[in-house]
Amino acid sequence: MVSMTTTAWPDYPFQPHYFNINSLAMHYLDEGAREAPPVLMLHGNPSWSYYYRRLVTALKPTHRCIVPDHIGMGLSARPGNEAYRFTLAQRVDDLDQLIGSLQLSEPMTLVVHDWGGMIGMAWAADHPEQVQHFIILNTAAFHLPRTREGKGKRLPWPLRLGRIRLVNALLIQGVNAFVQGAIKTCVTRQPMPAEVAAAYAAPYADWQSRLAVRRFIEDIPLSAQQASWSVMADTARRLDQFQRNPVLICWGMNDFVFDADFLAEWERRFPAAEVHRFADAGHYVLEDASTAVIDVIRRFLA
């Protein structure tokens, strides 16, 4: 695990918790009363549980807020390639072990962002009885959608570049380009305050701590030859089992990866979903539009 004082970062005064997964420490937040309705929040790449700090503060008086850091991310353990399988299937298994240890009092609300959508929805597809509400924030749980013109969609060039071996070693692990790039481009209303940017970057200070960031990019399933392709395909096929669940979608429309085409695919799959678009917000919609998004989430859960 990463040893840091959580009081060093703005709006993150939370008690750390750790769960052992195959001798690896998974850090997670567990805020609010144990008997309160559970809300599980799953982050993406290259963020960590810090992304949900304001939502946790807002909801913990009425809900039990659980926010893990994926292995290799945030304050969790930093294994090498020989000690951990950096695959979507492994991430889903990690989540299953953590949830099994928590003894939740009732079905949860699942909040997902970026890779959290792929991991969380894959787990939910296997455990539909354990999820009551879904809150979807700029993410996917399906392969690249069609464009609005009906064409095949391509991964944006920065992510394609980040999948090239040696290049990604230099850019992602070497000079930390992906973390620093996200700090600058994933908010679009105004620049991220320096102390907040420092908190996002803090867990990724050296070569080893950036391995998971690199491996997440390599694991994006773009072809059937990749290990995670079948997990994603199977999850997408089973999303329709949640047609009757309440679904809230809050979307930053200035996201250069999870753009309007991804939102349209979610709306196609969940036509009854409550959808809120934030025209000038980026990928980190909880940074750009935190007050508005949190107000919407509160009303939805109430």
Side-chain angles (χ1 to χ4, degrees):
M1 64 184 179
V2 177
S3 177
M4 295 184 185
T5 170
T6 61
T7 59
W9 306 306
D11 306 318
Y12 196 84
F14 308 121
Q15 179 69 32
H17 298 265
Y18 291 92
F19 176 69
N20 189 286
I21 297 176
N22 300 325
S23 300
L24 298 173
M26 172 181 272
H27 169 263
Y28 67 99
L29 305 180
D30 192 349
E31 298 284 323
R34 296 298 176 267
E35 66 276 7
V39 180
L40 177 67
M41 309 175 193
L42 299 178
H43 72 83
N45 183 40
S47 59
W48 55 292
S49 55
Y50 186 76
Y51 178 71
Y52 288 111
R53 66 198 183 281
R54 293 173 181 152
L55 185 58
V56 170
T57 298
L59 294 184
K60 71 177 184 177
T62 55
H63 292 77
R64 180 182 180 183
C65 299
I66 301 156
V67 194
D69 287 330
H70 305 304
I71 296 295
M73 310 292 284
L75 306 184
S76 291
R78 293 291 198 269
N81 288 315
E82 71 288 345
Y84 185 76
R85 293 185 303 118
F86 291 88
T87 63
L88 176 55
Q90 181 63 60
R91 302 293 187 184
V92 176
D93 185 65
D94 294 349
L95 181 61
D96 187 51
Q97 291 187 55
L98 174 64
I99 292 172
S101 74
L102 294 172
Q103 299 180 331
L104 302 180
S105 59
E106 59 185 86
M108 70 175 70
T109 294
L110 181 61
V111 187
V112 294
H113 178 254
D114 194 89
W115 266 97
M118 307 174 205
I119 297 165
M121 298 305 282
W123 177 85
D126 286 334
H127 304 86
E129 73 288 348
Q130 295 189 47
V131 185
Q132 183 176 9
H133 304 89
F134 293 92
I135 299 174
I136 296 169
L137 313 170
N138 290 73
T139 186
F142 38 76
H143 297 299
L144 290 173
R146 307 292 291 180
T147 68
R148 282 161 289 182
E149 295 78 24
K151 299 178 181 179
K153 194 170 188 67
R154 296 193 70 194
L155 202 65
W157 71 264
L159 292 178
R160 295 200 306 271
L161 187 65
R163 291 165 60 83
I164 301 173
R165 297 293 177 91
L166 298 182
V167 174
N168 62 16
L170 173 64
L171 293 179
I172 297 171
Q173 282 193 269
V175 300
N176 206 20
F178 196 66
V179 171
Q180 294 298 330
I183 287 169
K184 292 179 173 62
T185 63
C186 289
V187 291
T188 56
R189 282 189 174 180
Q190 57 188 9
M192 192 179 283
E195 65 273 15
V196 173
Y200 270 100
Y204 309 112
D206 57 33
W207 173 274
Q208 181 60 30
S209 68
R210 299 169 195 150
L211 175 61
V213 175
R214 173 185 173 186
R215 294 302 308 274
F216 260 124
I217 296 174
E218 292 174 344
D219 196 43
I220 297 171
L222 296 180
S223 74
Q225 285 69 49
Q226 290 181 255
S228 295
W229 176 272
S230 61
V231 178
M232 178 72 85
D234 184 56
T235 300
R237 281 194 298 268
R238 294 189 289 164
L239 288 178
D240 60 358
Q241 67 184 302
F242 302 118
Q243 289 286 340
R244 296 185 179 181
N245 292 75
V247 176
L248 171 67
I249 302 174
C250 294
W251 208 265
M253 299 301 293
N254 269 347
D255 191 332
F256 79 98
V257 178
F258 295 102
D259 58 12
D261 296 326
F262 283 89
L263 174 58
E265 180 64 13
W266 281 114
E267 291 180 296
R268 185 185 72 79
R269 290 174 179 272
F270 295 111
E274 177 183 340
V275 180
H276 295 261
R277 294 169 174 81
F278 298 89
D280 59 346
H283 181 61
Y284 286 169
V285 65
L286 271 176
E287 293 294 338
D288 271 337
S290 61
T291 299
V293 172
I294 289 169
D295 285 347
V296 168
I297 290 173
R298 277 173 157 164
R299 291 198 300 270
F300 176 73
L301 294 179

